[in-house]
Amino acid sequence: MCGIVGAVSTSNIVPVLVQGLQRLEYRGYDSAGIAVVDGTLSVFKQQGKVGELAQSLSGGPPAGTLGIGHTRWATHGHPNDENAHPHLSADGSFALVHNGIIENYGAIRERLIRKGYEFRSQTDTEALVHLIDDVRDVTGLTLAESIRLALTQVVGTYGIAVVSGDNPDRLIAARKGSPLILGVGDGEYFLGSDAAPIIEYTRQVVYLNDGEMIVVDR
């Protein structure tokens, strides 16, 4: 099983993300990572335990008030740094984490390779990232609308969270068959694949239904 955590706040959310991932360790995983927006979008991920990720951040910890995190249990591709989440778009402008299985990822991947997209991992998740990027490029839609449209082409299950370096105030998430919970705090918001990463910060929550998408602005 995989785990998702996210936050939009006025203070540094890196400790929130790392602690949230540690609270999701019971689900089982083989790698972990976070994406943080602070002027630019930065991704830190690696195979192994959340504690190892936290240790790697201790020398020069990143800071940011918007971010997402993920613990991965390998379904597509071996447990390694490249297959760990978050995955970046081709231009590095947005990062995505994903729970679930995209059943038609092979067809999506082959179509995008023919269009010139390069894949760095063996995951179904990276196919979704590039699909969103392609939809945005072809249509000129916003990132949120590109995500919504791309998901209509996906067969399978997903719980996703997305952040972009171009918008340091926005967290986007969507669900189909994989649970996601939005926590509403005092001027801040939290996202989790279950309540464990959220309950310390708020008891006011919204459970996303299948087929729902949320766009959370600071």
Side-chain angles (χ1 to χ4, degrees):
M1 298 175 70
C2 303
I4 288 176
V5 62
V8 184
S9 182
T10 56
S11 57
N12 182 22
I13 48 81
V14 173
V16 175
L17 297 179
V18 173
Q19 185 180 65
L21 293 180
Q22 289 172 329
R23 290 178 173 171
L24 291 169
E25 287 184 304
Y26 75 92
R27 299 167 69 94
Y29 67 101
D30 53 55
S31 59
I34 62 172
V36 181
V37 180
D38 180 26
T40 60
L41 173 62
S42 301
V43 171
F44 308 85
K45 61 179 183 176
Q46 64 184 58
Q47 179 185 355
K49 301 296 185 182
V50 175
E52 297 174 46
L53 174 67
Q55 183 63 34
S56 71
L57 298 174
S58 62
T65 58
L66 169 68
I68 51 177
H70 189 266
T71 54
R72 174 180 185 258
W73 184 262
T75 54
H76 296 87
H78 297 293
N80 58 37
D81 293 356
E82 288 183 346
N83 289 330
H85 297 212
H87 287 285
L88 279 168
S89 59
D91 63 359
S93 65
F94 69 88
L96 180 148
V97 295
H98 164 233
N99 289 355
I101 296 177
I102 297 173
E103 297 172 9
N104 63 334
Y105 87 99
I108 294 172
R109 181 184 177 110
E110 288 304 315
R111 175 161 57 88
L112 293 172
I113 288 175
R114 289 195 298 270
K115 296 188 73 170
Y117 283 88
E118 297 182 2
F119 284 75
R120 297 179 175 85
S121 76
Q122 291 77 50
T123 66
D124 54 339
T125 303
E126 192 179 13
L128 176 56
V129 171
H130 290 326
L131 176 62
I132 294 167
D133 202 17
D134 184 57
V135 168
R136 185 174 61 167
D137 182 59
V138 170
T139 65
L141 293 170
T142 64
L143 178 58
E145 282 299 300
S146 298
I147 292 169
R148 184 189 61 78
L149 187 57
L151 290 176
T152 66
Q153 303 178 40
V154 168
V155 177
T157 60
Y158 55 80
I160 65 168
V162 183
V163 293
S164 170
D166 296 331
N167 193 335
D169 299 314
R170 175 169 289 184
L171 172 66
I172 304 170
R175 175 213 169 160
K176 180 182 178 183
S178 187
L180 280 179
I181 303 171
L182 176 69
V184 182
D186 183 11
E188 53 189 1
Y189 300 89
F190 305 93
L191 186 73
S193 47
D194 67 30
I198 293 175
I199 55 174
E200 178 179 343
Y201 307 103
T202 181
R203 299 299 175 92
Q204 184 177 352
V205 299
V206 179
Y207 289 84
L208 275 71
N209 294 316
D210 270 353
E212 287 189 334
M213 174 176 164
I214 57 171
V215 178
V216 180
D217 287 313
R218 192 188 306 280

